[in-house]
Amino acid sequence: MTANSRIWHLVLILAIFSAPLVIMYVYQVIDSIAQPDPGSLVPGAIDLSNWRFLWERIDTGRPSIWVVTFNTFLFASTTAFLVTSLSATAGYALSRLNMPGRPYFLGGLIILHAFPTITLIIAIFIILQFLGLFDTLLGIILVKAALELPFGVWILKGFYDTVPWEIEMAGVQDGASRLRVWWELVLPQVKPGLFALLIISFLSGWSEFVLPLVLAPGSSTQVLATFMNAVIQDDATADFGLFKAIGMFYSIPVIVIYLVFQKQLMNIYGGGTKG
Amino acid sequence: MELRLEKFTKRFGDTTVIKDMDLTVGSGEMIALLGPSGCGKSTTLFAVCGIHKMNGGTLHFGDRDVTTVPAQERSVGVVFQNYALYPHMTVEQNIGFPLKIQKLGKAAIRKEVERLSELVQIGELLDRRPAQLSGGQQQRVALARAMIRKPDVLLLDEPLANLDAKLRLEMRSEIRRIQRETGITAILVTHDQVEAMSMCDRIALMKDGKIVQLDTPEQMYSNPRSQFVAGFLGNPPISFLPATAGAEVVLANGQSIARPRDLQASGDLILGIRPEHFGPQHGEGLQGEVIFVEPQGREELIDVRLDGGGDIRSILSAGAPIRQGDRVNWGVATDSILAFAPNGVRV
């Protein structure tokens, strides 16, 4: 009974502290599909006109929402794929191969991960300009992937560290090359880590705002974050209903991914030590 | 196939772990590398299978020099202490993996897997995954996988260390049976003397990177070359008592026993007396007090503190009317005494 009552206390405290967030989300949904009376918290008639961006252009100067969504998806998924595949090899090397300067490399990874991106933005801008990748999706994909890599390498190194050496030794004794041992015997053991990293870097790419804003400002490379920014920014009278509806649209994939892949995402914090 | 290791030297950084070691394992023979942790037995094993590079010396399988041959091409089967089964594969895929690497056809692999699973008696488990098997079954799978390529040499690295006592007994005879049936040359690495003595044709006892004695289990037990060997083999262990040999042998505590007939040396010695060579069945001679009685079911271990100092152990059939605190006067089978010089060398 005491345990139960303690849980009730927790629930109450959590409810109080998360109420503002929950209320915000509730009104996000309500306001996107209803016309509120001024000054009233009670929604009036249902009105779907805020969602008009789905079937028409909200004004002529802007790209269609579907092009923008496709851009965002391309940006996030390519980044996730790049980060995961590079981390899979780099993490293995750092975990297993006895290369010179390994401790410094590992320390460097942590520093890079902690480094605030925004302080690098001018240098990155100049590099992209020089390479002719400014205002292209490829440019921001490369930049985003590079900035996500330290985290990914570090996480996957941790997963590789839990794979017993003997499995690799056994593979070599069975006649397999090192490459084959890695691909067929070791990689399957870190699958939970690969999967979690794939999802996390996809979500990170999906919500990226600063890099596209600064490095790909053109309308043909717009992603949802910069699209929303533009909608709220340049109208004389801001259309908050429209803004909220696009916000909803933007967050639906994130919510779905979290609901579907919760278990895999938790893996990354468990360190992948499940037997 | 005969395995010949000559002048094997291994260094890790600046430390020389093994220097100029020679070891020959006859064709179809099973040999134990026995020794305390850190004696270099696993290092030797890893050098034979090719995971460690040798810093000196040569290794031959039969007439083939494999000193510089990479592990993949050595034709060595290894069973690891934790079995190292591939967790994401079924038992059948695990056992068949070495053949898959050799690009054999599916039917051929299936046939070989069935032959091996019959040999190690796990035919009904082929569809399971390693996590669904008991320790003993995993062990059998590891054995089958190590042997499916018909390797020249089979290496077993502490294969029984992770098993419980009953399974260990069962797998001891199983491994021996499989090794005999296939006639494969095998090396067993272990720190357990019982395992080494019960499973192997010969034992190489190692200490500090050297083989201190290479002999059959019987010879090693009854005719140890040094105090270290005598102390390492035997369960319950041998007792050592310092003594001086003259016309008769006087122990450091002042008591004396008859001089063993074939003892050549005189002066300061260390006597090694095995538990079965001390007790009432050998008459009288040494006086002391029973300080500990340890029942072991069929037998009892009795620790005696001799008058004037020194402990000696005896083993008697259970039911002997001996209690802690009893005064005893028991004899020693003097001709079975092992005598060592103060530096530990047998005399």
Side-chain angles (χ1 to χ4, degrees), chain A residues 166 169-176 184 188-189, chain B residues 49 72 80 82 86-88 97 100-101 145 149:
Chain A
E166 281 84 359
M169 293 190 194
V172 168
Q173 287 310 321
D174 287 345
E184 263 186 71
Q189 317 300 322
Chain B
C49 66
Q72 284 95 338
F80 293 92
N82 60 6
Y86 311 132
H88 58 293
F97 185 73
K100 191 179 150 203
I101 297 289
R145 187 183 64 189
R149 280 196 309 172

mmCIF file with all atom_site columns, all heavy atoms in Angstrom, chain A residues 166 169-176 184 188-189, chain B residues 49 72 80 82 86-88 97 100-101 145 149:
data_model
loop_
_atom_site.group_PDB
_atom_site.id
_atom_site.type_symbol
_atom_site.label_atom_id
_atom_site.label_alt_id
_atom_site.label_comp_id
_atom_site.label_asym_id
_atom_site.label_entity_id
_atom_site.label_seq_id
_atom_site.pdbx_PDB_ins_code
_atom_site.Cartn_x
_atom_site.Cartn_y
_atom_site.Cartn_z
_atom_site.occupancy
_atom_site.B_iso_or_equiv
_atom_site.pdbx_formal_charge
_atom_site.auth_seq_id
_atom_site.auth_comp_id
_atom_site.auth_asym_id
_atom_site.auth_atom_id
_atom_site.pdbx_PDB_model_num
ATOM 1   N N   . GLU A 1 166 ? 36.251 -13.400 -28.461 1.00 0.00 ? 166 GLU A N   1
ATOM 2   C CA  . GLU A 1 166 ? 36.322 -14.804 -28.879 1.00 0.00 ? 166 GLU A CA  1
ATOM 3   C C   . GLU A 1 166 ? 35.497 -15.069 -30.131 1.00 0.00 ? 166 GLU A C   1
ATOM 4   O O   . GLU A 1 166 ? 35.840 -15.940 -30.927 1.00 0.00 ? 166 GLU A O   1
ATOM 5   C CB  . GLU A 1 166 ? 35.854 -15.724 -27.750 1.00 0.00 ? 166 GLU A CB  1
ATOM 6   C CG  . GLU A 1 166 ? 36.883 -15.956 -26.674 1.00 0.00 ? 166 GLU A CG  1
ATOM 7   C CD  . GLU A 1 166 ? 36.888 -14.847 -25.642 1.00 0.00 ? 166 GLU A CD  1
ATOM 8   O OE1 . GLU A 1 166 ? 36.082 -13.896 -25.801 1.00 0.00 ? 166 GLU A OE1 1
ATOM 9   O OE2 . GLU A 1 166 ? 37.685 -14.916 -24.693 1.00 0.00 ? 166 GLU A OE2 1
ATOM 10  N N   . MET A 1 169 ? 37.742 -14.268 -32.883 1.00 0.00 ? 169 MET A N   1
ATOM 11  C CA  . MET A 1 169 ? 38.803 -15.276 -32.979 1.00 0.00 ? 169 MET A CA  1
ATOM 12  C C   . MET A 1 169 ? 38.251 -16.550 -33.599 1.00 0.00 ? 169 MET A C   1
ATOM 13  O O   . MET A 1 169 ? 38.867 -17.161 -34.476 1.00 0.00 ? 169 MET A O   1
ATOM 14  C CB  . MET A 1 169 ? 39.345 -15.598 -31.588 1.00 0.00 ? 169 MET A CB  1
ATOM 15  C CG  . MET A 1 169 ? 40.088 -14.473 -30.930 1.00 0.00 ? 169 MET A CG  1
ATOM 16  S SD  . MET A 1 169 ? 40.884 -15.119 -29.458 1.00 0.00 ? 169 MET A SD  1
ATOM 17  C CE  . MET A 1 169 ? 41.323 -13.645 -28.605 1.00 0.00 ? 169 MET A CE  1
ATOM 18  N N   . ALA A 1 170 ? 37.063 -16.941 -33.142 1.00 0.00 ? 170 ALA A N   1
ATOM 19  C CA  . ALA A 1 170 ? 36.448 -18.156 -33.672 1.00 0.00 ? 170 ALA A CA  1
ATOM 20  C C   . ALA A 1 170 ? 36.207 -18.003 -35.165 1.00 0.00 ? 170 ALA A C   1
ATOM 21  O O   . ALA A 1 170 ? 36.462 -18.930 -35.944 1.00 0.00 ? 170 ALA A O   1
ATOM 22  C CB  . ALA A 1 170 ? 35.140 -18.443 -32.943 1.00 0.00 ? 170 ALA A CB  1
ATOM 23  N N   . GLY A 1 171 ? 35.756 -16.829 -35.582 1.00 0.00 ? 171 GLY A N   1
ATOM 24  C CA  . GLY A 1 171 ? 35.504 -16.586 -36.998 1.00 0.00 ? 171 GLY A CA  1
ATOM 25  C C   . GLY A 1 171 ? 36.770 -16.721 -37.819 1.00 0.00 ? 171 GLY A C   1
ATOM 26  O O   . GLY A 1 171 ? 36.775 -17.355 -38.885 1.00 0.00 ? 171 GLY A O   1
ATOM 27  N N   . VAL A 1 172 ? 37.856 -16.155 -37.304 1.00 0.00 ? 172 VAL A N   1
ATOM 28  C CA  . VAL A 1 172 ? 39.133 -16.241 -38.017 1.00 0.00 ? 172 VAL A CA  1
ATOM 29  C C   . VAL A 1 172 ? 39.590 -17.698 -38.094 1.00 0.00 ? 172 VAL A C   1
ATOM 30  O O   . VAL A 1 172 ? 40.043 -18.175 -39.134 1.00 0.00 ? 172 VAL A O   1
ATOM 31  C CB  . VAL A 1 172 ? 40.191 -15.375 -37.305 1.00 0.00 ? 172 VAL A CB  1
ATOM 32  C CG1 . VAL A 1 172 ? 41.579 -15.664 -37.843 1.00 0.00 ? 172 VAL A CG1 1
ATOM 33  C CG2 . VAL A 1 172 ? 39.863 -13.898 -37.496 1.00 0.00 ? 172 VAL A CG2 1
ATOM 34  N N   . GLN A 1 173 ? 39.430 -18.424 -36.973 1.00 0.00 ? 173 GLN A N   1
ATOM 35  C CA  . GLN A 1 173 ? 39.808 -19.844 -36.978 1.00 0.00 ? 173 GLN A CA  1
ATOM 36  C C   . GLN A 1 173 ? 38.971 -20.634 -37.969 1.00 0.00 ? 173 GLN A C   1
ATOM 37  O O   . GLN A 1 173 ? 39.428 -21.593 -38.574 1.00 0.00 ? 173 GLN A O   1
ATOM 38  C CB  . GLN A 1 173 ? 39.619 -20.458 -35.591 1.00 0.00 ? 173 GLN A CB  1
ATOM 39  C CG  . GLN A 1 173 ? 40.632 -20.034 -34.575 1.00 0.00 ? 173 GLN A CG  1
ATOM 40  C CD  . GLN A 1 173 ? 42.036 -20.179 -35.057 1.00 0.00 ? 173 GLN A CD  1
ATOM 41  O OE1 . GLN A 1 173 ? 42.378 -21.137 -35.731 1.00 0.00 ? 173 GLN A OE1 1
ATOM 42  N NE2 . GLN A 1 173 ? 42.880 -19.226 -34.738 1.00 0.00 ? 173 GLN A NE2 1
ATOM 43  N N   . ASP A 1 174 ? 37.702 -20.228 -38.115 1.00 0.00 ? 174 ASP A N   1
ATOM 44  C CA  . ASP A 1 174 ? 36.832 -20.931 -39.054 1.00 0.00 ? 174 ASP A CA  1
ATOM 45  C C   . ASP A 1 174 ? 37.183 -20.605 -40.497 1.00 0.00 ? 174 ASP A C   1
ATOM 46  O O   . ASP A 1 174 ? 36.543 -21.099 -41.417 1.00 0.00 ? 174 ASP A O   1
ATOM 47  C CB  . ASP A 1 174 ? 35.365 -20.579 -38.782 1.00 0.00 ? 174 ASP A CB  1
ATOM 48  C CG  . ASP A 1 174 ? 34.861 -21.254 -37.513 1.00 0.00 ? 174 ASP A CG  1
ATOM 49  O OD1 . ASP A 1 174 ? 35.541 -22.180 -37.050 1.00 0.00 ? 174 ASP A OD1 1
ATOM 50  O OD2 . ASP A 1 174 ? 33.812 -20.848 -36.993 1.00 0.00 ? 174 ASP A OD2 1
ATOM 51  N N   . GLY A 1 175 ? 38.160 -19.719 -40.688 1.00 0.00 ? 175 GLY A N   1
ATOM 52  C CA  . GLY A 1 175 ? 38.666 -19.478 -42.030 1.00 0.00 ? 175 GLY A CA  1
ATOM 53  C C   . GLY A 1 175 ? 38.164 -18.205 -42.681 1.00 0.00 ? 175 GLY A C   1
ATOM 54  O O   . GLY A 1 175 ? 38.438 -17.955 -43.848 1.00 0.00 ? 175 GLY A O   1
ATOM 55  N N   . ALA A 1 176 ? 37.409 -17.384 -41.946 1.00 0.00 ? 176 ALA A N   1
ATOM 56  C CA  . ALA A 1 176 ? 36.858 -16.175 -42.543 1.00 0.00 ? 176 ALA A CA  1
ATOM 57  C C   . ALA A 1 176 ? 37.854 -15.030 -42.478 1.00 0.00 ? 176 ALA A C   1
ATOM 58  O O   . ALA A 1 176 ? 38.643 -14.935 -41.545 1.00 0.00 ? 176 ALA A O   1
ATOM 59  C CB  . ALA A 1 176 ? 35.571 -15.777 -41.821 1.00 0.00 ? 176 ALA A CB  1
ATOM 60  N N   . GLU A 1 184 ? 29.713 -10.512 -41.130 1.00 0.00 ? 184 GLU A N   1
ATOM 61  C CA  . GLU A 1 184 ? 28.784 -11.627 -40.893 1.00 0.00 ? 184 GLU A CA  1
ATOM 62  C C   . GLU A 1 184 ? 28.625 -11.993 -39.426 1.00 0.00 ? 184 GLU A C   1
ATOM 63  O O   . GLU A 1 184 ? 27.611 -12.560 -39.028 1.00 0.00 ? 184 GLU A O   1
ATOM 64  C CB  . GLU A 1 184 ? 29.258 -12.873 -41.663 1.00 0.00 ? 184 GLU A CB  1
ATOM 65  C CG  . GLU A 1 184 ? 28.547 -13.032 -42.982 1.00 0.00 ? 184 GLU A CG  1
ATOM 66  C CD  . GLU A 1 184 ? 28.927 -14.329 -43.655 1.00 0.00 ? 184 GLU A CD  1
ATOM 67  O OE1 . GLU A 1 184 ? 28.507 -15.381 -43.158 1.00 0.00 ? 184 GLU A OE1 1
ATOM 68  O OE2 . GLU A 1 184 ? 29.646 -14.288 -44.668 1.00 0.00 ? 184 GLU A OE2 1
ATOM 69  N N   . PRO A 1 188 ? 26.006 -8.211  -36.901 1.00 0.00 ? 188 PRO A N   1
ATOM 70  C CA  . PRO A 1 188 ? 24.696 -8.623  -36.365 1.00 0.00 ? 188 PRO A CA  1
ATOM 71  C C   . PRO A 1 188 ? 24.571 -8.459  -34.852 1.00 0.00 ? 188 PRO A C   1
ATOM 72  O O   . PRO A 1 188 ? 23.469 -8.271  -34.347 1.00 0.00 ? 188 PRO A O   1
ATOM 73  C CB  . PRO A 1 188 ? 24.613 -10.106 -36.746 1.00 0.00 ? 188 PRO A CB  1
ATOM 74  C CG  . PRO A 1 188 ? 25.510 -10.252 -37.906 1.00 0.00 ? 188 PRO A CG  1
ATOM 75  C CD  . PRO A 1 188 ? 26.623 -9.283  -37.695 1.00 0.00 ? 188 PRO A CD  1
ATOM 76  N N   . GLN A 1 189 ? 25.712 -8.490  -34.139 1.00 0.00 ? 189 GLN A N   1
ATOM 77  C CA  . GLN A 1 189 ? 25.645 -8.348  -32.676 1.00 0.00 ? 189 GLN A CA  1
ATOM 78  C C   . GLN A 1 189 ? 25.358 -6.911  -32.265 1.00 0.00 ? 189 GLN A C   1
ATOM 79  O O   . GLN A 1 189 ? 24.904 -6.663  -31.157 1.00 0.00 ? 189 GLN A O   1
ATOM 80  C CB  . GLN A 1 189 ? 26.959 -8.774  -32.005 1.00 0.00 ? 189 GLN A CB  1
ATOM 81  C CG  . GLN A 1 189 ? 27.592 -10.025 -32.530 1.00 0.00 ? 189 GLN A CG  1
ATOM 82  C CD  . GLN A 1 189 ? 26.703 -11.216 -32.386 1.00 0.00 ? 189 GLN A CD  1
ATOM 83  O OE1 . GLN A 1 189 ? 26.006 -11.343 -31.398 1.00 0.00 ? 189 GLN A OE1 1
ATOM 84  N NE2 . GLN A 1 189 ? 26.689 -12.079 -33.369 1.00 0.00 ? 189 GLN A NE2 1
ATOM 85  N N   . CYS B 2 49  ? 47.370 -21.544 -32.783 1.00 0.00 ? 49  CYS B N   1
ATOM 86  C CA  . CYS B 2 49  ? 46.247 -21.353 -33.702 1.00 0.00 ? 49  CYS B CA  1
ATOM 87  C C   . CYS B 2 49  ? 46.445 -20.141 -34.611 1.00 0.00 ? 49  CYS B C   1
ATOM 88  O O   . CYS B 2 49  ? 45.702 -19.969 -35.564 1.00 0.00 ? 49  CYS B O   1
ATOM 89  C CB  . CYS B 2 49  ? 44.919 -21.279 -32.959 1.00 0.00 ? 49  CYS B CB  1
ATOM 90  S SG  . CYS B 2 49  ? 44.721 -19.874 -31.888 1.00 0.00 ? 49  CYS B SG  1
ATOM 91  N N   . GLN B 2 72  ? 43.706 -18.161 -40.677 1.00 0.00 ? 72  GLN B N   1
ATOM 92  C CA  . GLN B 2 72  ? 42.630 -18.662 -41.540 1.00 0.00 ? 72  GLN B CA  1
ATOM 93  C C   . GLN B 2 72  ? 43.030 -19.909 -42.318 1.00 0.00 ? 72  GLN B C   1
ATOM 94  O O   . GLN B 2 72  ? 42.191 -20.724 -42.668 1.00 0.00 ? 72  GLN B O   1
ATOM 95  C CB  . GLN B 2 72  ? 42.192 -17.585 -42.550 1.00 0.00 ? 72  GLN B CB  1
ATOM 96  C CG  . GLN B 2 72  ? 41.342 -16.492 -41.965 1.00 0.00 ? 72  GLN B CG  1
ATOM 97  C CD  . GLN B 2 72  ? 42.171 -15.287 -41.573 1.00 0.00 ? 72  GLN B CD  1
ATOM 98  O OE1 . GLN B 2 72  ? 43.369 -15.402 -41.359 1.00 0.00 ? 72  GLN B OE1 1
ATOM 99  N NE2 . GLN B 2 72  ? 41.540 -14.132 -41.446 1.00 0.00 ? 72  GLN B NE2 1
ATOM 100 N N   . PHE B 2 80  ? 36.678 -22.366 -27.479 1.00 0.00 ? 80  PHE B N   1
ATOM 101 C CA  . PHE B 2 80  ? 37.021 -21.320 -26.522 1.00 0.00 ? 80  PHE B CA  1
ATOM 102 C C   . PHE B 2 80  ? 36.309 -21.550 -25.196 1.00 0.00 ? 80  PHE B C   1
ATOM 103 O O   . PHE B 2 80  ? 35.283 -22.231 -25.132 1.00 0.00 ? 80  PHE B O   1
ATOM 104 C CB  . PHE B 2 80  ? 36.641 -19.953 -27.081 1.00 0.00 ? 80  PHE B CB  1
ATOM 105 C CG  . PHE B 2 80  ? 37.455 -19.555 -28.273 1.00 0.00 ? 80  PHE B CG  1
ATOM 106 C CD1 . PHE B 2 80  ? 37.018 -19.839 -29.553 1.00 0.00 ? 80  PHE B CD1 1
ATOM 107 C CD2 . PHE B 2 80  ? 38.665 -18.915 -28.107 1.00 0.00 ? 80  PHE B CD2 1
ATOM 108 C CE1 . PHE B 2 80  ? 37.774 -19.480 -30.659 1.00 0.00 ? 80  PHE B CE1 1
ATOM 109 C CE2 . PHE B 2 80  ? 39.426 -18.550 -29.202 1.00 0.00 ? 80  PHE B CE2 1
ATOM 110 C CZ  . PHE B 2 80  ? 38.979 -18.835 -30.479 1.00 0.00 ? 80  PHE B CZ  1
ATOM 111 N N   . ASN B 2 82  ? 34.457 -19.574 -23.437 1.00 0.00 ? 82  ASN B N   1
ATOM 112 C CA  . ASN B 2 82  ? 33.040 -19.186 -23.419 1.00 0.00 ? 82  ASN B CA  1
ATOM 113 C C   . ASN B 2 82  ? 32.321 -19.658 -24.681 1.00 0.00 ? 82  ASN B C   1
ATOM 114 O O   . ASN B 2 82  ? 31.294 -19.135 -25.050 1.00 0.00 ? 82  ASN B O   1
ATOM 115 C CB  . ASN B 2 82  ? 32.897 -17.682 -23.223 1.00 0.00 ? 82  ASN B CB  1
ATOM 116 C CG  . ASN B 2 82  ? 33.567 -16.908 -24.333 1.00 0.00 ? 82  ASN B CG  1
ATOM 117 O OD1 . ASN B 2 82  ? 34.036 -17.496 -25.308 1.00 0.00 ? 82  ASN B OD1 1
ATOM 118 N ND2 . ASN B 2 82  ? 33.599 -15.601 -24.218 1.00 0.00 ? 82  ASN B ND2 1
ATOM 119 N N   . TYR B 2 86  ? 28.100 -18.168 -32.426 1.00 0.00 ? 86  TYR B N   1
ATOM 120 C CA  . TYR B 2 86  ? 27.558 -16.959 -33.039 1.00 0.00 ? 86  TYR B CA  1
ATOM 121 C C   . TYR B 2 86  ? 26.085 -16.846 -32.651 1.00 0.00 ? 86  TYR B C   1
ATOM 122 O O   . TYR B 2 86  ? 25.256 -17.650 -33.087 1.00 0.00 ? 86  TYR B O   1
ATOM 123 C CB  . TYR B 2 86  ? 27.731 -17.018 -34.554 1.00 0.00 ? 86  TYR B CB  1
ATOM 124 C CG  . TYR B 2 86  ? 29.133 -17.393 -34.972 1.00 0.00 ? 86  TYR B CG  1
ATOM 125 C CD1 . TYR B 2 86  ? 29.381 -18.366 -35.929 1.00 0.00 ? 86  TYR B CD1 1
ATOM 126 C CD2 . TYR B 2 86  ? 30.233 -16.794 -34.369 1.00 0.00 ? 86  TYR B CD2 1
ATOM 127 C CE1 . TYR B 2 86  ? 30.673 -18.724 -36.298 1.00 0.00 ? 86  TYR B CE1 1
ATOM 128 C CE2 . TYR B 2 86  ? 31.526 -17.147 -34.720 1.00 0.00 ? 86  TYR B CE2 1
ATOM 129 C CZ  . TYR B 2 86  ? 31.736 -18.102 -35.684 1.00 0.00 ? 86  TYR B CZ  1
ATOM 130 O OH  . TYR B 2 86  ? 33.016 -18.454 -36.023 1.00 0.00 ? 86  TYR B OH  1
ATOM 131 N N   . PRO B 2 87  ? 25.744 -15.846 -31.803 1.00 0.00 ? 87  PRO B N   1
ATOM 132 C CA  . PRO B 2 87  ? 24.417 -15.830 -31.181 1.00 0.00 ? 87  PRO B CA  1
ATOM 133 C C   . PRO B 2 87  ? 23.274 -15.673 -32.184 1.00 0.00 ? 87  PRO B C   1
ATOM 134 O O   . PRO B 2 87  ? 22.155 -16.092 -31.908 1.00 0.00 ? 87  PRO B O   1
ATOM 135 C CB  . PRO B 2 87  ? 24.457 -14.611 -30.253 1.00 0.00 ? 87  PRO B CB  1
ATOM 136 C CG  . PRO B 2 87  ? 25.815 -14.050 -30.333 1.00 0.00 ? 87  PRO B CG  1
ATOM 137 C CD  . PRO B 2 87  ? 26.569 -14.716 -31.409 1.00 0.00 ? 87  PRO B CD  1
ATOM 138 N N   . HIS B 2 88  ? 23.541 -15.054 -33.347 1.00 0.00 ? 88  HIS B N   1
ATOM 139 C CA  . HIS B 2 88  ? 22.452 -14.773 -34.281 1.00 0.00 ? 88  HIS B CA  1
ATOM 140 C C   . HIS B 2 88  ? 22.218 -15.918 -35.258 1.00 0.00 ? 88  HIS B C   1
ATOM 141 O O   . HIS B 2 88  ? 21.379 -15.821 -36.127 1.00 0.00 ? 88  HIS B O   1
ATOM 142 C CB  . HIS B 2 88  ? 22.749 -13.492 -35.042 1.00 0.00 ? 88  HIS B CB  1
ATOM 143 C CG  . HIS B 2 88  ? 24.054 -13.550 -35.804 1.00 0.00 ? 88  HIS B CG  1
ATOM 144 N ND1 . HIS B 2 88  ? 25.269 -13.620 -35.155 1.00 0.00 ? 88  HIS B ND1 1
ATOM 145 C CD2 . HIS B 2 88  ? 24.318 -13.565 -37.116 1.00 0.00 ? 88  HIS B CD2 1
ATOM 146 C CE1 . HIS B 2 88  ? 26.226 -13.667 -36.071 1.00 0.00 ? 88  HIS B CE1 1
ATOM 147 N NE2 . HIS B 2 88  ? 25.676 -13.637 -37.263 1.00 0.00 ? 88  HIS B NE2 1
ATOM 148 N N   . PHE B 2 97  ? 29.247 -23.046 -40.452 1.00 0.00 ? 97  PHE B N   1
ATOM 149 C CA  . PHE B 2 97  ? 29.896 -21.805 -40.869 1.00 0.00 ? 97  PHE B CA  1
ATOM 150 C C   . PHE B 2 97  ? 31.272 -22.000 -41.518 1.00 0.00 ? 97  PHE B C   1
ATOM 151 O O   . PHE B 2 97  ? 31.532 -21.435 -42.583 1.00 0.00 ? 97  PHE B O   1
ATOM 152 C CB  . PHE B 2 97  ? 29.980 -20.830 -39.683 1.00 0.00 ? 97  PHE B CB  1
ATOM 153 C CG  . PHE B 2 97  ? 30.520 -19.484 -40.030 1.00 0.00 ? 97  PHE B CG  1
ATOM 154 C CD1 . PHE B 2 97  ? 29.756 -18.579 -40.741 1.00 0.00 ? 97  PHE B CD1 1
ATOM 155 C CD2 . PHE B 2 97  ? 31.812 -19.117 -39.678 1.00 0.00 ? 97  PHE B CD2 1
ATOM 156 C CE1 . PHE B 2 97  ? 30.245 -17.329 -41.076 1.00 0.00 ? 97  PHE B CE1 1
ATOM 157 C CE2 . PHE B 2 97  ? 32.318 -17.865 -40.009 1.00 0.00 ? 97  PHE B CE2 1
ATOM 158 C CZ  . PHE B 2 97  ? 31.536 -16.979 -40.712 1.00 0.00 ? 97  PHE B CZ  1
ATOM 159 N N   . LYS B 2 100 ? 30.753 -23.063 -44.975 1.00 0.00 ? 100 LYS B N   1
ATOM 160 C CA  . LYS B 2 100 ? 30.183 -21.997 -45.799 1.00 0.00 ? 100 LYS B CA  1
ATOM 161 C C   . LYS B 2 100 ? 31.299 -21.077 -46.291 1.00 0.00 ? 100 LYS B C   1
ATOM 162 O O   . LYS B 2 100 ? 31.299 -20.629 -47.432 1.00 0.00 ? 100 LYS B O   1
ATOM 163 C CB  . LYS B 2 100 ? 29.177 -21.212 -44.945 1.00 0.00 ? 100 LYS B CB  1
ATOM 164 C CG  . LYS B 2 100 ? 28.324 -20.241 -45.738 1.00 0.00 ? 100 LYS B CG  1
ATOM 165 C CD  . LYS B 2 100 ? 27.336 -19.534 -44.817 1.00 0.00 ? 100 LYS B CD  1
ATOM 166 C CE  . LYS B 2 100 ? 27.033 -18.145 -45.349 1.00 0.00 ? 100 LYS B CE  1
ATOM 167 N NZ  . LYS B 2 100 ? 26.550 -17.247 -44.302 1.00 0.00 ? 100 LYS B NZ  1
ATOM 168 N N   . ILE B 2 101 ? 32.271 -20.827 -45.402 1.00 0.00 ? 101 ILE B N   1
ATOM 169 C CA  . ILE B 2 101 ? 33.422 -20.009 -45.789 1.00 0.00 ? 101 ILE B CA  1
ATOM 170 C C   . ILE B 2 101 ? 34.180 -20.684 -46.935 1.00 0.00 ? 101 ILE B C   1
ATOM 171 O O   . ILE B 2 101 ? 34.671 -20.037 -47.833 1.00 0.00 ? 101 ILE B O   1
ATOM 172 C CB  . ILE B 2 101 ? 34.373 -19.818 -44.584 1.00 0.00 ? 101 ILE B CB  1
ATOM 173 C CG1 . ILE B 2 101 ? 33.665 -19.054 -43.473 1.00 0.00 ? 101 ILE B CG1 1
ATOM 174 C CG2 . ILE B 2 101 ? 35.653 -19.119 -44.989 1.00 0.00 ? 101 ILE B CG2 1
ATOM 175 C CD1 . ILE B 2 101 ? 33.422 -17.620 -43.758 1.00 0.00 ? 101 ILE B CD1 1
ATOM 176 N N   . ARG B 2 145 ? 31.665 -27.446 -34.313 1.00 0.00 ? 145 ARG B N   1
ATOM 177 C CA  . ARG B 2 145 ? 32.088 -26.402 -35.237 1.00 0.00 ? 145 ARG B CA  1
ATOM 178 C C   . ARG B 2 145 ? 33.604 -26.430 -35.417 1.00 0.00 ? 145 ARG B C   1
ATOM 179 O O   . ARG B 2 145 ? 34.118 -26.229 -36.515 1.00 0.00 ? 145 ARG B O   1
ATOM 180 C CB  . ARG B 2 145 ? 31.650 -25.033 -34.714 1.00 0.00 ? 145 ARG B CB  1
ATOM 181 C CG  . ARG B 2 145 ? 31.906 -23.922 -35.708 1.00 0.00 ? 145 ARG B CG  1
ATOM 182 C CD  . ARG B 2 145 ? 31.545 -22.574 -35.141 1.00 0.00 ? 145 ARG B CD  1
ATOM 183 N NE  . ARG B 2 145 ? 32.376 -22.225 -34.009 1.00 0.00 ? 145 ARG B NE  1
ATOM 184 C CZ  . ARG B 2 145 ? 32.158 -21.187 -33.227 1.00 0.00 ? 145 ARG B CZ  1
ATOM 185 N NH1 . ARG B 2 145 ? 31.119 -20.407 -33.433 1.00 0.00 ? 145 ARG B NH1 1
ATOM 186 N NH2 . ARG B 2 145 ? 32.958 -20.926 -32.217 1.00 0.00 ? 145 ARG B NH2 1
ATOM 187 N N   . ARG B 2 149 ? 35.795 -28.975 -40.150 1.00 0.00 ? 149 ARG B N   1
ATOM 188 C CA  . ARG B 2 149 ? 36.725 -28.853 -41.282 1.00 0.00 ? 149 ARG B CA  1
ATOM 189 C C   . ARG B 2 149 ? 37.759 -29.976 -41.292 1.00 0.00 ? 149 ARG B C   1
ATOM 190 O O   . ARG B 2 149 ? 38.700 -29.936 -42.062 1.00 0.00 ? 149 ARG B O   1
ATOM 191 C CB  . ARG B 2 149 ? 37.457 -27.519 -41.215 1.00 0.00 ? 149 ARG B CB  1
ATOM 192 C CG  . ARG B 2 149 ? 36.650 -26.364 -41.729 1.00 0.00 ? 149 ARG B CG  1
ATOM 193 C CD  . ARG B 2 149 ? 37.548 -25.184 -42.007 1.00 0.00 ? 149 ARG B CD  1
ATOM 194 N NE  . ARG B 2 149 ? 38.393 -24.878 -40.863 1.00 0.00 ? 149 ARG B NE  1
ATOM 195 C CZ  . ARG B 2 149 ? 39.374 -23.987 -40.891 1.00 0.00 ? 149 ARG B CZ  1
ATOM 196 N NH1 . ARG B 2 149 ? 39.652 -23.348 -41.997 1.00 0.00 ? 149 ARG B NH1 1
ATOM 197 N NH2 . ARG B 2 149 ? 40.091 -23.738 -39.811 1.00 0.00 ? 149 ARG B NH2 1
#
